[in-house]
Amino acid sequence: MNGEKMRILLVRPPRIEQAITLSDFMFSEPLGLEMIYGALKEEHEVEILDMMIEGISLSEKIESFKPDTVGITSLCIDVIKVIELCNEAKKANREIITVVGGTQAYLNPEAFYHETVDHIFQFTRSENLKIFYDGLSIGGIQKVDGVLSRTFGYETTGAKGHNQYLVPDRSSTAKYREEYSYFGYRSAAIMEFGTGCKKCCDFCLRWRIEGAKEKLIDRELTKKDLLSIKEPTIMFIDNDFFASREKIEAFILLVKELRLKKNYIMYGSVEGILKYKEYLEELAGLGLKALLVGYETFNDSEMIQYQKNSTASDNMTAARLLKDSGVDVWASFMAHPDWSKKDFKKLRSYIKTLKPQISSISPLTPFPSLPMYACYKDRLLYKAEDYEKWSFGQVMIKPSQISLRRYYYELLKTSLYVNISINNNTEMIKSFGGKNVFRIIKGSLKTAKKYFVLAYRGN
Ligand code: B12
């Protein structure tokens, strides 16, 4: 490589079968890789391999594309697979330079200190991307802010930073896009309108990843991003779309200005829904179909523990407001490790009153990079290095009131009860179409089977 165009292969790892995830029925575009593609495509030859869709192995792809460097994105559950892929790349061609980025590289880069991982992008911004890849193309490896390189013992330059929202080039995943979905909506795109979250809930990693300050993404960038989306549905990945009046109004103005006619799905906090309720109807009129709302629990002392800033009765008010404005609720709840059979029963009747269209119940997961980790360290069922277990689907804290087997059984029973008996499935078929409902049922059964096995084993 002498300042020539480099051949860069960007890879999303395949589904991790051992992990309990939603990915059997829902996964979206690899937004981070589309951003890297967008930033590098003018100067280099770049391609994305989405292994969640393509059946081919990395070696086969290396054989046909002949990359100089392979860059892989990662979540915590992917660590072992990512290292396997780096091994495979080096085996195919020892000269290939391996690079790892993504959520896990940001939160816990040490997980990738391995002889076949050459560089780790702890944080990614347009400047460090350019310096790094231009440097590689002239064969010179230097220390770059945000990049930990094996040659330098993975030492940092000391610079700190967050990942930057760059314009994703969605044409890079053109051949995969039909497969990308968000729950019942397929095909669907994902994008972000504003980064960060000032709520800093105790159980949530998102403020750790994006920072505790809310910032709107540059308007011109957002415009470009919105106009590049061909799919009829957009899921906004913002932590809380109801974070401020400024944000909601900026969105409404932009949708009107661009005359967009799409379905929108957003995350909305109960606190924000109550504070900015006057916008709900207008948003519904503009295409807001569903809000993902973290109701979390029926128990106010747990709400305080989680630093939620809302109460179980606020949840009820939000549910009423959303019902009145015709916006569906995809609710999430967190099962506390100290729950008894009675508490699960309380949750079921609480959900019955809230009546969200969809409910997901995850066991409380004290992620290693959160302050909560220290509180539950002694009760953990798995180690921090059992990467595949940290999916937010697996019970990680030893239950104190009932056996682990009973706990899994209660989780399964509650999920089935609230999603099958409370909800109106005919309505779901009307909104999403039979094919999508079938896809969801098939995927959910696969996840339910994993829970059955865990409940049966009781370990
Ligand atoms: C949207 C989203 C989803 C969507 C869509 C994800 C998808 N693309 O399919 C859905 C709902 C499907 C989903 C599913 C899951 N998710 Co999710 N998700 C998110 C969310 C909200 C945003 C992710 C995102 O797109 N960010 C924007 C992109 C641009 O950021 P990025 O990928 O980090 O990329 C940047 C850099 O890292 C860099 N980069 C990325 N890759 C690479 C590679 C190279 C080579 C380089 C140089 C740079 C680089 O480029 C970008 C520049 O800014 C995050 C929370 C958050 N705020 O991050 C959770 C989050 C990532 N998800 C999480 C989890 C646990 C899951 C699931 C396991 C949940 C489950 N049990 O099913 C599954 C796993 C899916 C899978 N891969 O199998 C956790 C991850 C925890 C962890 N430490 O790993 C998070 C942090 C949320 C949480 N619970 O705290 N998720």
Side-chain angles (χ1 to χ4, degrees):
M1 285 171 278
N2 280 316
E4 301 158 14
K5 269 193 170 193
M6 271 199 310
R7 299 183 68 77
I8 303 172
L9 181 64
L10 300 172
V11 181
R12 169 159 61 183
R15 254 174 219 94
I16 307 300
E17 289 301 333
Q18 304 89 311
I20 298 185
T21 71
L22 311 167
S23 56
D24 281 315
F25 61 92
M26 141 166 161
F27 63 100
S28 316
E29 60 204 295
L31 199 55
L33 297 185
E34 292 172 347
M35 291 179 187
I36 312 303
Y37 181 100
L40 301 177
K41 69 170 182 189
E42 296 297 334
E43 319 230 335
H44 303 285
E45 206 64 55
V46 197
E47 215 181 282
I48 292 183
L49 170 67
D50 188 344
M51 298 186 81
M52 280 178 93
I53 298 178
E54 295 253 18
I56 87 172
S57 70
L58 180 61
S59 331
E60 286 169 303
K61 185 70 197 179
I62 289 176
E63 175 81 34
S64 60
F65 182 66
K66 302 200 173 9
D68 300 306
T69 157
V70 171
I72 310 174
T73 191
S74 66
L75 296 184
C76 184
I77 54 169
D78 298 320
V79 170
I80 295 164
K81 183 47 103 190
V82 169
I83 292 176
E84 268 174 36
L85 291 171
C86 289
N87 291 342
E88 194 178 335
K90 292 282 189 189
K91 224 169 164 183
N93 176 358
R94 205 156 52 80
E95 302 296 316
I96 286 179
I97 297 162
T98 54
V99 184
V100 176
T103 303
Q104 180 69 8
Y106 175 75
L107 292 172
N108 180 13
E110 297 85 2
F112 298 112
Y113 291 0
H114 187 270
E115 58 187 4
T116 57
V117 179
D118 296 320
H119 306 278
I120 305 163
F121 261 75
Q122 187 170 18
F123 63 83
T124 306
R125 311 193 59 85
S126 55
E127 312 86 60
N128 70 349
L129 264 179
K130 191 167 164 32
I131 296 173
F132 175 80
Y133 281 98
D134 285 354
L136 275 194
S137 73
I138 52 167
I141 294 187
Q142 46 172 326
K143 269 195 184 179
V144 177
D145 287 349
V147 184
L148 316 179
S149 302
R150 195 161 49 84
T151 346
F152 303 116
Y154 299 114
E155 230 175 53
T156 69
T157 59
K160 291 205 175 356
H162 286 291
N163 290 319
Q164 184 184 3
Y165 192 89
L166 306 166
V167 193
D169 184 329
R170 295 170 199 271
S171 70
S172 61
T173 46
K175 64 175 168 176
Y176 303 128
R177 296 194 72 81
E178 252 180 50
E179 302 276 340
Y180 298 142
S181 65
Y182 209 89
F183 200 69
Y185 292 93
R186 177 168 153 188
S187 49
I190 57 173
M191 73 171 276
E192 195 159 24
F193 198 79
T195 59
C197 188
K198 66 171 188 296
K199 288 190 192 58
C200 305
C201 299
D202 204 32
F203 56 86
C204 187
L205 275 173
R206 304 186 58 174
W207 57 272
R208 276 276 288 111
I209 299 171
E210 296 189 16
K213 237 191 191 157
E214 268 142 13
K215 278 194 223 146
L216 287 192
I217 291 165
D218 172 74
R219 196 167 187 275
E220 288 311 304
L221 193 159
T222 300
K223 241 176 163 174
K224 208 165 158 189
D225 203 5
L226 272 171
L227 290 171
S228 78
I229 294 176
K230 299 202 174 69
E231 285 72 22
T233 301
I234 303 178
M235 156 64 195
F236 286 94
I237 62 172
D238 302 50
N239 298 302
D240 181 9
F241 217 96
F242 282 65
S244 69
R245 188 177 299 280
E246 182 204 357
K247 183 170 183 172
I248 303 173
E249 287 187 351
F251 174 75
I252 292 176
L253 263 176
L254 203 53
V255 170
K256 286 184 177 165
E257 182 191 321
L258 301 178
R259 295 173 199 272
L260 293 177
K261 296 238 168 331
K262 304 233 181 227
N263 303 318
Y264 306 107
I265 305 163
M266 299 167 171
Y267 288 94
S269 67
V270 167
E271 193 189 351
I273 293 165
L274 300 194
K275 213 162 163 186
Y276 305 118
K277 51 180 182 284
E278 67 269 27
Y279 293 106
L280 282 171
E281 258 176 46
E282 185 166 12
L283 286 170
L286 289 174
L288 175 62
K289 294 290 175 213
L291 273 189
L292 282 95
V293 186
Y295 285 143
E296 320 306 357
T297 175
F298 55 86
N299 180 327
D300 278 336
S301 59
E302 286 165 11
M303 288 289 218
I304 294 168
Q305 181 196 345
Y306 303 152
Q307 296 171 15
K308 270 298 284 188
N309 269 347
S310 46
T311 62
S313 112
D314 290 341
N315 287 350
M316 293 288 189
T317 315
R320 257 195 314 276
L321 288 168
L322 291 166
K323 184 167 188 296
D324 291 347
S325 38
V327 175
D328 282 357
V329 181
W330 299 353
S332 56
F333 297 89
M334 257 177 338
H336 197 279
D338 296 336
W339 279 4
S340 61
K341 259 169 74 178
K342 250 195 202 150
D343 291 309
F344 276 101
K345 199 168 168 202
K346 273 190 205 156
L347 178 70
R348 288 192 287 272
S349 64
Y350 184 58
I351 298 180
K352 211 169 159 182
T353 340
L354 286 168
K355 251 185 164 303
Q357 274 65 28
I358 296 159
S359 305
S360 71
I361 304 136
S362 332
L364 181 66
T365 304
F367 218 81
S369 7
L370 288 172
M372 199 190 242
Y373 181 75
C375 308
Y376 288 103
K377 208 163 176 257
D378 300 334
R379 284 174 63 184
L380 286 181
L381 294 163
Y382 300 99
K383 292 189 292 238
E385 307 80 63
D386 292 329
Y387 300 110
E388 288 154 357
K389 307 288 183 200
W390 295 92
S391 66
F392 290 83
Q394 186 115 10
V395 179
M396 302 304 282
I397 305 170
K398 193 168 190 283
S400 62
Q401 305 300 312
I402 48 180
S403 69
L404 185 57
R405 175 177 288 175
R406 182 82 218 181
Y407 199 88
Y408 271 118
Y409 170 76
E410 289 294 337
L411 276 172
L412 192 56
K413 179 176 164 185
T414 309
S415 291
L416 293 176
Y417 172 76
V418 297
N419 285 307
I420 297 172
S421 77
I422 299 180
N423 295 330
N424 183 339
N425 294 313
T426 336
E427 238 176 63
M428 263 222 316
I429 295 177
K430 246 201 266 160
S431 309
F432 303 148
K435 235 164 121 186
N436 278 325
V437 173
F438 179 69
R439 171 172 59 82
I440 293 165
I441 294 175
K442 210 170 121 207
S444 313
L445 286 176
K446 216 170 153 190
T447 311
K449 197 173 139 203
K450 289 184 185 170
Y451 263 65
F452 261 124
V453 172
L454 283 162
Y456 177 73
R457 284 210 218 121
N459 65 20

